[in-house]
Amino acid sequence: MLIELLEGAAVPVLYIMGNDDLIELASGSDRAQSLHGRQVECGRFKFVGYQYSLPFMGGTFEKPEAAILIDLARLPAPFDVQTVFVSHSPAFGILDPGFGDSQIGSKSLRKFLEENPYRAHIHGHSHGGFGRKDNHFNVASAGQARAMIIDLEALEHQLLELEQGRLEA
């Protein structure tokens, strides 16, 4: 049902799985595509995705730091200033609060982003880190009625929240 909804969208849909997801979505359409481990060009931007996060709940889409480091080295290259990197996990220390004083981002991901050029990093996972810092955008809505629209050309964003039954800026 979900995949049919995504495939029926008026615009192309690129997605990655997350640690709360139990099975991989399987789309046979160009309208809805998994971005994990791939590069997809949309206009002048290149989107590259990575869906694994650090072990948290024992989920299907979790890996230890050493395995994440190996996976990141295998991503399509080259990255440049038109690359939009989409991951489930945040980079360590950037919009990644966990429980208490903990941080739940990946150190391997942070190192990877420090070593490669990119236009924007869009991620989720850390529900308490929703927002923006520099060119990192945490879009984890945490079951709240909120969303973010990101203008990749200008690197500006707009927050949307549900007010009286509809999303408003």
Side-chain angles (χ1 to χ4, degrees):
M1 167 98 178
L2 176 59
I3 202 68
E4 289 86 11
L5 180 67
L6 295 175
E7 290 173 346
V11 296
V13 174
L14 304 174
Y15 63 87
I16 56 170
M17 307 306 291
N19 64 292
D20 289 336
D21 297 317
L22 302 176
I23 60 169
E24 179 92 36
L25 292 177
S27 172
S29 167
D30 288 342
R31 303 293 299 159
Q33 304 178 51
S34 171
L35 191 55
H36 175 67
R38 301 178 55 225
Q39 176 179 295
V40 176
E41 292 190 25
C42 289
R44 66 185 198 97
F45 297 107
K46 297 184 297 188
F47 290 80
V48 177
Y50 186 73
Q51 64 194 15
Y52 289 92
S53 61
L54 294 171
F56 178 65
M57 303 173 12
T60 303
F61 301 104
E62 297 176 0
K63 287 188 175 184
E65 198 75 72
I68 290 174
L69 183 62
I70 291 168
D71 287 351
L72 293 172
R74 294 178 177 156
L75 288 176
F79 273 45
D80 61 29
V81 295
Q82 299 307 88
T83 302
V84 178
F85 186 64
V86 180
S87 64
H88 180 68
S89 179
F92 181 81
I94 303 172
L95 302 172
D96 71 332
F99 300 107
D101 292 334
S102 69
Q103 294 175 296
I104 60 174
S106 166
K107 291 180 181 177
S108 297
L109 182 55
R110 173 122 186 209
K111 182 179 187 295
F112 178 82
L113 290 172
E114 287 172 348
E115 294 174 351
N116 289 280
Y118 61 96
R119 179 141 196 98
H121 174 217
I122 302 170
H123 66 86
H125 191 53
S126 177
H127 299 170
F130 182 84
R132 176 186 182 178
K133 181 177 182 185
D134 303 321
N135 59 342
H136 297 266
F137 299 86
N138 180 333
V139 298
S141 64
Q144 298 181 31
R146 63 184 181 188
M148 188 181 298
I149 297 174
I150 303 168
D151 177 341
L152 293 172
E153 292 286 344
L155 273 184
E156 295 175 351
H157 71 287
Q158 180 180 10
L159 300 179
L160 303 175
E161 294 185 306
L162 188 65
E163 301 224 359
Q164 299 178 0
R166 66 178 204 261
L167 283 175
E168 294 187 5

